[in-house]
Amino acid sequence: MTEQPRPLRTEVTMVTSFQDADPMGVVYHGNYFRFFEEARRILMEKIDYSYHAMMASGYMWPIIDTRVKYVKPIPYNHAIRISATLTEWENRLRVDYVIYDAKTEQRMTKAHTMQVAVGIEDQEMCFVSPKVFTDKVEAWHAGNA
């Protein structure tokens, strides 16, 4: 039986801001994507595939699908921990997220996003992730086995 590689994962802790909240003092549902984005940015930088590196490689990665389960409302001025895990990368990029209360560790939100590579020059969607990206993921796994 082949051992599964350790997942590519990162965490970031943030404190929600007043501008994140709706009039009732809880984070507006659309603002959760800003938290996911920050965790995904750090995750991609872990494999040296920042937004600048994406552009330089000739690809952009638009989100094509997402799912969010809002488990518990998050108030403003509240410390949260966002985990992001790369769960698919060969044909598309899928990142799974969990937002936890930073103090109690209670799960507050669960989500995922899916992205595909699109050539910057030809605007064509790729049905397989570009080698420049998969090589970076595989190199990370090889160095972290």
Side-chain angles (χ1 to χ4, degrees):
M1 188 164 124
T2 306
E3 186 176 320
Q4 291 292 337
R6 187 174 81 128
L8 175 54
R9 184 173 183 270
T10 196
E11 291 185 347
V12 61
T13 301
M14 302 172 70
V15 175
T16 59
S17 300
F18 179 75
Q19 70 264 17
D20 293 329
D22 64 18
M24 291 177 270
V26 298
V27 173
Y28 170 70
H29 69 275
N31 286 331
Y32 284 63
F33 289 91
R34 191 170 61 79
F35 308 144
F36 303 149
E37 178 61 28
E38 181 63 6
R40 186 173 59 243
R41 179 189 67 79
I42 292 168
L43 185 71
M44 292 298 104
E45 286 179 356
K46 212 171 186 178
I47 61 169
D48 194 30
Y49 202 56
S50 67
Y51 289 114
H52 292 296
M54 286 179 192
M55 287 176 41
S57 73
Y59 298 97
M60 57 182 149
W61 293 79
I63 290 179
I64 60 164
D65 191 26
T66 187
R67 168 105 166 79
V68 181
K69 180 164 178 128
Y70 301 95
V71 178
K72 184 175 190 230
I74 302 173
Y76 77 89
N77 196 33
H78 195 82
I80 57 174
R81 182 172 51 84
I82 306 107
S83 74
T85 306
L86 182 66
T87 56
E88 294 180 35
W89 62 88
E90 285 108 354
N91 298 311
R92 60 187 180 183
L93 190 154
R94 178 181 164 142
V95 179
D96 291 350
Y97 309 91
V98 180
I99 298 178
Y100 299 94
D101 182 301
K103 291 180 183 152
T104 68
E105 295 299 314
Q106 182 177 23
R107 186 171 68 186
M108 303 181 90
T109 307
K110 184 178 173 182
H112 73 257
T113 56
M114 284 190 271
Q115 298 167 255
V116 293
V118 173
I120 291 174
E121 283 191 27
D122 62 11
Q123 299 289 301
E124 292 290 323
M125 183 175 74
C126 302
F127 293 103
V128 175
S129 292
K131 187 169 174 23
V132 65
F133 173 67
T134 57
D135 284 352
K136 288 179 179 292
V137 174
E138 290 166 11
W140 185 90
H141 279 120
N144 291 279

